[in-house]
Amino acid sequence: MVRSGLLALLLLLALPAHAGADNMKEGKTLKPDEGILVATVVCGHPVRFMQLYDSGTKSSGFWGPAKFSAMMTCQPGIKTMPMKAGRYYIGYLGTGGTSGTAIPEENAPRFAIEAGKLNYVGDIYVGELFVKEAFDMDPETLAKVTGRPFTVLDREDKARTELADNYDWLLGRHPFMSAIATVTSP
């Protein structure tokens, strides 16, 4: 009990120090070593958020959940998060509070962020997608994502349209590149 309470406290203290799940704001400029992660996330039961890790950083073990670099929530809509250039993977699926599942890097979606660019990593589907999520999906998408722990689909045209509709100023400032996350089946 003391161990899990300590972990919860450490995670809460560590959250402000990590890159958040905030989308880019129009007045914000990137640091020279930053790029912008562009993705859409659909989470099924019981996933509530995902933690992103630098390649080579373990997401498992006692300290693993506290070593993340950024977090993506399951809120609808496109994500436009500034991130330091580098290689990353989705290493932890949070289910609420301090509970979740660590994913080994070799089994997780992996992607790279290039500085100064919009890095589209795909439409990411995680967790058990039930009726609620299925109502928002076309039959082809539903067939591709059902029964898999992770699915990453390349919907670049949809992402470009959503960026143009909601973040046209980003498209004017940064080149768009497709950097679709790769997934190796466990």
Side-chain angles (χ1 to χ4, degrees), residues 19-57:
D22 292 333
N23 284 340
M24 283 288 294
K25 305 289 188 255
E26 192 162 359
K28 181 174 170 58
T29 57
L30 291 176
K31 295 175 186 167
D33 64 345
E34 287 182 324
I36 301 170
L37 176 143
V38 177
T40 300
V41 178
V42 177
C43 300
H45 179 76
V47 180
R48 291 185 165 172
F49 63 91
M50 293 182 281
Q51 291 178 179
L52 310 178
Y53 290 78
D54 292 321
S55 182
T57 301

Side-chain angles (χ1 to χ4, degrees), residues 69-90:
S69 296
M71 185 183 321
M72 283 197 292
T73 64
C74 297
Q75 300 300 320
I78 200 157
K79 311 284 187 256
T80 58
M81 292 182 356
M83 292 184 70
K84 187 174 180 180
R87 300 191 59 73
Y88 297 91
Y89 73 101
I90 298 171

Side-chain angles (χ1 to χ4, degrees), residues 76-157:
I78 200 157
K79 311 284 187 256
T80 58
M81 292 182 356
M83 292 184 70
K84 187 174 180 180
R87 300 191 59 73
Y88 297 91
Y89 73 101
I90 298 171
Y92 189 82
L93 302 178
T95 58
T98 58
S99 60
T101 302
I103 308 297
E105 183 172 0
E106 61 273 9
N107 295 337
R110 297 172 301 281
F111 57 91
I113 298 294
E114 288 190 31
K117 297 182 179 175
L118 294 166
N119 299 268
Y120 173 63
V121 300
D123 285 8
I124 302 166
Y125 297 82
V126 296
E128 297 174 21
L129 300 168
F130 291 119
V131 175
K132 176 181 170 256
E133 295 85 8
F135 278 125
D136 295 332
M137 284 185 224
D138 60 90
E140 181 182 346
T141 300
L142 189 58
K144 289 178 181 178
V145 303
T146 301
R148 297 173 152 202
F150 285 109
T151 305
V152 179
L153 299 179
D154 183 352
R155 300 272 173 84
E156 183 177 328
D157 291 340

